[in-house]
């Protein structure tokens, strides 16, 4: 079944109350999806009313003093549950460390909330990029060559990093983003592109000195620009059926140190061979709930190289809603109404972008791909998660405008190459 065959927005789910941890654009996109599908206001629990959720008419923001303190967040969720007693509470989070907070406190939260996440044991296995690579390989998926650097014993003066025989340049990143969340040191990035052995040695020294005691992975750098990247979003219901699959062709990623690798623009594009591999993985590990895969097409052989699976719907989840397969419907039908739904594989093309069109097209070099983008723009098949007509007060419109200008500034600073003719 394709997304175009799905029913229009449903109503009448009595007492439905979405509750979310976080305040970024992905959380707002989920709140928007719930509002579009069910007409409900969400409750967002966070340490600050950040721009994406500030001044919104479709959500209520519950603030805690320290949004990085798990105990404060859990206590706030329990207060919300008491205040919303009798309603059908669905709890979501959209960053790895917040998912872990929910899963680790499941015993406290589950009497009050639907908690649609993995078991802690499976979460630990899949959230670790090194373990993910091992599991994916065992299931027949292609992954980048990976070497693990374990800092568990780095307090020992005799500790030394294991040799790395991956060719340069290479990629280095934390195996578990939750372990890396609170580590600070000069030059910290989400993903490091390492050009020489000296640069890698300096990174190991910085991590050791900063007290990092988790694992880092070193991976071969798969050639190709951002347009070789793909995103997959899936939902697996409580019966083990994969009821939602959606893939997107990345056009441009963010290039700030903290956001490197986050897609900023994508075209929803159905790629069945890649989706079949993702489905093999999900079935093989006994997955439940939302999943988001990062994949790169290797231009050397055309293989889909799977980088990781995020145990959540993903920051850029609105591309799925924009293509006609509102993901909240799959969750609510499964976990609130206990109903099976007919599986959907999305095949509706739409441009998802948080960038001004001219900025985006500056970076899309392939003429055919640029032509597709222009065609979608001219056809009005474009979606921006923050631009919602039913939540478009003056301050919301101003924030969306200011965020677009900020994207221009960020790309000029961190990724200044101007390489095509624009719009």
């Amino acid at each position: 079944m394709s997304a175009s065959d799905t029913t229009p927005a449903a109503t009448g789910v009595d007492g439905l109350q979405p509750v979310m941890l976080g305040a970024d654009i992905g959380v707002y996109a989920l709140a928007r999806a719930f509002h579009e599908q069910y007409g409900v206001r969400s409750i967002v629990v966070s340490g600050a009313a950040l721009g994406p959720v500030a001044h919104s008419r479709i959500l209520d923001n519950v603030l805690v003093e320290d949004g990085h303190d798990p105990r404060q967040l859990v206590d706030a969720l329990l207060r919300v549950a008491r205040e919303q007693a009798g309603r059908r509470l669905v709890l979501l989070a959209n960053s790895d460390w917040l998912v872990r907070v929910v899963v680790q406190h499941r015993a406290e939260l589950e009497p009050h909330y639907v908690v649609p996440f993995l078991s802690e044991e499976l979460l630990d296995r899949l959230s670790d990029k090194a373990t993910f690579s091992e599991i994916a390989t065992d299931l027949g998926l292609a992954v980048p060559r990976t070497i693990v650097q374990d800092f568990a014993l780095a307090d020992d003066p005799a500790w030394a990093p294991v040799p790395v025989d991956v060719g340069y340049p290479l990629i280095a990143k934390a195996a578990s983003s939750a372990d890396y969340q609170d580590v600070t040191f000069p030059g910290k990035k989400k993903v490091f592109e390492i050009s020489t052995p000296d640069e890698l040695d300096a990174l190991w020294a910085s991590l050791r000195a900063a007290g990092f005691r988790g694992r880092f992975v070193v991976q071969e750098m798969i050639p190709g620009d951002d347009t070789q990247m793909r995103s997959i979003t899936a939902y697996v219901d409580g019966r083990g059926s994969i009821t939602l699959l959606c893939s997107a062709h990345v056009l441009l990623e963010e290039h700030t140190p903290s956001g490197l690798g986050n897609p900023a623009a994508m075209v929803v594009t159905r790629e069945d061979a890649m989706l079949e591999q993702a489905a093999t993985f999900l079935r093989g590990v006994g997955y439940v709930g939302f999943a988001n895969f990062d994949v790169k097409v290797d231009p050397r052989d055309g293989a889909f190289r799977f980088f990781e699976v995020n145990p959540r719907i993903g920051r850029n989840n609105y591309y799925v809603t924009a293509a006609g397969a509102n993901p909240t419907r799959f969750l609510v039908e499964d976990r609130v109404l206990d109903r099976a739904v007919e599986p959907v594989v999305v095949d509706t093309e739409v441009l998802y972008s948080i960038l001004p069109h001219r900025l985006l097209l500056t970076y899309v070099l392939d003429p055919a791909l640029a032509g597709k983008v222009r065609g979608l723009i001219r056809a009005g098949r474009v979606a921006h998660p923050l631009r919602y007509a039913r939540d478009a007060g003056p301050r919301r419109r101003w924030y969306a405008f200011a965020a677009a200008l900020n994207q221009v500034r960020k790309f000029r600073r961190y990724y200044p190459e101007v390489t095509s003719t624009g719009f």
Side-chain angles (χ1 to χ4, degrees), residues 85-328:
R87 306 202 71 189
R88 298 164 124 177
L89 302 177
V90 178
L91 179 58
L92 290 168
N94 209 14
S95 68
D96 290 351
W97 83 273
L98 288 173
V99 170
R100 187 170 296 278
V101 168
V102 172
V103 170
Q104 289 178 338
H105 293 84
R106 187 191 296 270
E108 290 180 81
L109 297 168
E110 209 154 38
H112 312 284
Y113 291 93
V114 168
V115 180
F117 294 112
L118 302 171
S119 68
E120 187 171 1
E121 183 274 333
L122 187 55
L123 176 66
D124 287 342
R125 290 174 61 208
L126 299 187
S127 295
D128 187 293
K129 295 175 180 62
T131 308
F132 168 81
S133 293
E134 295 168 1
I135 295 170
T137 300
D138 289 344
L139 291 170
L141 280 67
V143 299
R145 183 163 176 263
T146 301
I147 293 175
V148 180
Q149 195 66 261
D150 193 340
F151 286 79
L153 301 178
D155 288 327
D156 185 340
W159 178 87
V162 300
V164 171
D165 61 355
V166 176
Y168 292 85
L170 53 77
I171 297 294
K173 53 190 175 183
S176 169
S177 60
D179 292 340
Y180 191 55
Q181 176 79 17
D182 296 322
V183 176
T184 58
F185 59 92
K188 178 181 177 180
K189 298 179 182 179
K190 180 182 176 183
V191 179
F192 294 85
E193 296 183 3
I194 305 294
S195 300
T196 66
D198 287 344
E199 285 185 22
L200 188 60
D201 289 342
L203 174 60
W204 295 156
S206 294
L207 289 164
R208 187 183 190 185
F212 177 76
R213 295 299 177 262
R215 301 198 297 172
F216 242 67
V217 295
V218 171
Q219 294 181 326
E220 66 171 323
M221 183 180 287
I222 306 301
D225 64 9
D226 294 355
T227 62
Q228 298 297 122
M229 293 300 299
R230 303 292 187 270
S231 177
I232 301 172
T233 298
Y235 184 78
V236 186
D237 71 13
R239 301 162 182 82
S241 296
I242 302 170
T243 53
L244 172 64
L245 282 170
C246 182
S247 57
H249 184 155
V250 176
L251 303 172
L252 186 61
E253 297 179 331
E254 295 186 38
H255 285 262
T256 61
S258 61
L260 189 65
N262 290 330
M266 299 181 278
V267 173
V268 177
T269 307
R270 178 170 173 170
E271 297 193 51
D272 284 336
M274 181 178 66
L275 292 174
E276 288 168 6
Q277 291 181 48
T280 296
F281 180 91
L282 295 170
R283 295 188 186 103
V285 300
Y287 202 97
V288 294
F290 287 114
N292 176 239
F293 292 88
D294 293 335
V295 186
K296 190 169 188 178
V297 179
D298 192 329
R300 298 169 297 186
D301 58 8
F304 297 107
R305 305 276 176 191
F306 282 71
F307 286 1
E308 62 182 330
V309 60
N310 298 302
R312 50 190 169 83
I313 193 171
R315 172 185 173 89
N316 296 288
N317 62 84
Y318 195 74
Y319 75 85
V320 187
T321 305
N326 191 312
T328 65

Side-chain angles (χ1 to χ4, degrees), residues 19-31 42-54 59-64 67-68 73 77 91-95 97-99 101-102:
V19 181
M20 293 166 231
L21 288 177
D24 67 5
I25 194 170
V27 168
Y28 180 80
L30 275 173
S42 296
I43 295 173
V44 170
V45 178
S46 63
L50 301 180
V53 301
L59 60 86
D60 298 303
N61 205 169
V62 174
L63 297 178
V64 299
H68 297 284
L73 293 170
L77 291 173
L91 179 58
L92 290 168
N94 209 14
S95 68
W97 83 273
L98 288 173
V99 170
V101 168
V102 172

Side-chain angles (χ1 to χ4, degrees), residues 1 3-11 36-38 324 326 329 333:
M1 183 177 181
S4 59
D5 298 320
T6 59
T7 57
T11 58
E36 288 184 20
Q37 187 73 22
Y38 298 106
N326 191 312
R329 181 176 74 88
E333 291 286 331

